[in-house]
Amino acid sequence: QVQLKESGPGLVQPSQTLSLTCTVSGFSLTSNSVSWVRQPPGKGLEWMGAIWSGGSTDYNSALKSRLSISRDTSKSQVFLKMNSLQTEDTAIYFCTRSRAAISLDYWGQGVMVTVSS
Amino acid sequence: DIQMTQSPPSLSASLGDKVTITCQASQNINKYIAWYQQKPGKAPRQLIRYTSTLVSGTPSRFSGSGSGRDYSFSISNVESEDIASYYCLQYDNLWTFGGGTKLELK
């Protein structure tokens, strides 16, 4: 069955870089795209960016200068790196499968990241 | 970037009520809108895609409609398990979420 699981540090210091991994199973990264979505505590959902089945990427214009998404298809993993973190980047970070005409169907459980010194 | 304006931000309903949430896109999104339910501490769950197609497992009391820039999502006969936050998502051009609607019991 389709599964996604996020992993990464729970605490990051301000100005540092966040690195998260999404490990997927039950589908191929070469025929599906994966998006990252975040949600600050008590607030709404924000689409951050996606890596397409062919390996190209798209980003939310508000985050584009700080964000990078990549993947290792042999390990079924997608990576998020975001630099210059600030306290407002404190959020739950989700990875989700993205499919044309179906949109974001399967989601990981999310990982809470706190930006604090 | 496409913007999604969702209203109302919060909604209070009694069990058995019908409630409606709307989303307006900043441009035509060609019916590429999905609706999600999120309960505290959980990942969002897709309920409807392509305006009105119910995802497998979605109860028939949920429905969606709309076209162009204007879309709506309704729950008829609200049940206690429907108490949650709801989000629209456009996927015509990349992805953009609406601001969310928190449904509470009156």
Side-chain angles (χ1 to χ4, degrees):
Chain A
Q1 69 276 31
V2 172
Q3 291 186 323
L4 303 94
K5 186 170 184 179
E6 307 87 350
S7 59
L11 181 66
V12 180
Q13 293 198 336
S15 79
Q16 297 302 301
T17 297
L18 171 66
S19 295
L20 297 176
T21 299
C22 174
T23 303
V24 310
S25 59
F27 68 95
S28 169
L29 293 178
T30 57
S31 52
N32 293 269
S33 58
V34 169
S35 282
W36 287 93
V37 173
R38 70 177 180 175
Q39 184 172 39
K43 297 190 177 180
L45 300 164
E46 179 183 34
W47 176 77
M48 300 179 70
I51 186 162
W52 298 92
S53 56
S56 62
T57 53
D58 274 301
Y59 301 111
N60 183 320
S61 57
L63 300 172
K64 191 171 186 175
S65 64
R66 300 195 290 138
L67 186 60
S68 174
I69 298 175
S70 60
R71 68 183 186 181
D72 183 336
T73 56
S74 66
K75 294 183 178 179
S76 294
Q77 291 180 324
V78 175
F79 309 105
L80 176 148
K81 287 191 188 301
M82 189 163 69
N83 58 31
S84 304
L85 254 61
Q86 300 302 320
T87 55
E88 50 266 35
D89 294 311
T90 292
I92 300 172
Y93 287 75
F94 297 97
C95 60
T96 169
R97 187 175 74 168
S98 336
R99 304 178 75 188
I102 294 178
S103 193
L104 311 180
D105 54 0
Y106 288 89
W107 294 62
Q109 64 191 18
V111 61
M112 179 68 202
V113 175
T114 302
V115 181
S116 174
S117 54
Chain B
D1 295 8
I2 298 176
Q3 308 302 314
M4 298 296 288
T5 302
Q6 183 173 342
S7 62
S10 63
L11 201 47
S12 183
S14 300
L15 298 178
D17 280 356
K18 178 177 181 178
V19 298
T20 298
I21 298 168
T22 63
C23 268
Q24 183 175 66
S26 57
Q27 63 189 65
N28 179 9
I29 56 171
N30 299 299
K31 294 194 170 187
Y32 287 107
I33 187 168
W35 293 90
Y36 293 81
Q37 177 191 68
Q38 187 182 32
K39 295 185 177 181
K42 298 292 188 181
R45 170 194 168 197
Q46 190 181 54
L47 299 177
I48 289 175
R49 64 174 185 257
Y50 197 59
T51 297
S52 58
T53 300
L54 267 60
V55 172
S56 176
T58 301
S60 59
R61 64 180 180 276
F62 293 93
S63 63
S65 64
S67 63
R69 294 175 57 206
D70 297 306
Y71 298 85
S72 64
F73 167 84
S74 295
I75 311 172
S76 60
N77 299 314
V78 167
E79 298 189 6
S80 56
E81 66 185 34
D82 301 335
I83 301 309
S85 293
Y86 293 86
Y87 295 89
C88 65
L89 170 71
Q90 73 79 21
Y91 57 106
D92 181 63
N93 185 347
L94 299 181
W95 294 268
T96 312
F97 286 96
T101 297
K102 187 173 184 179
L103 176 61
E104 298 174 317
L105 268 180
K106 194 179 290 182

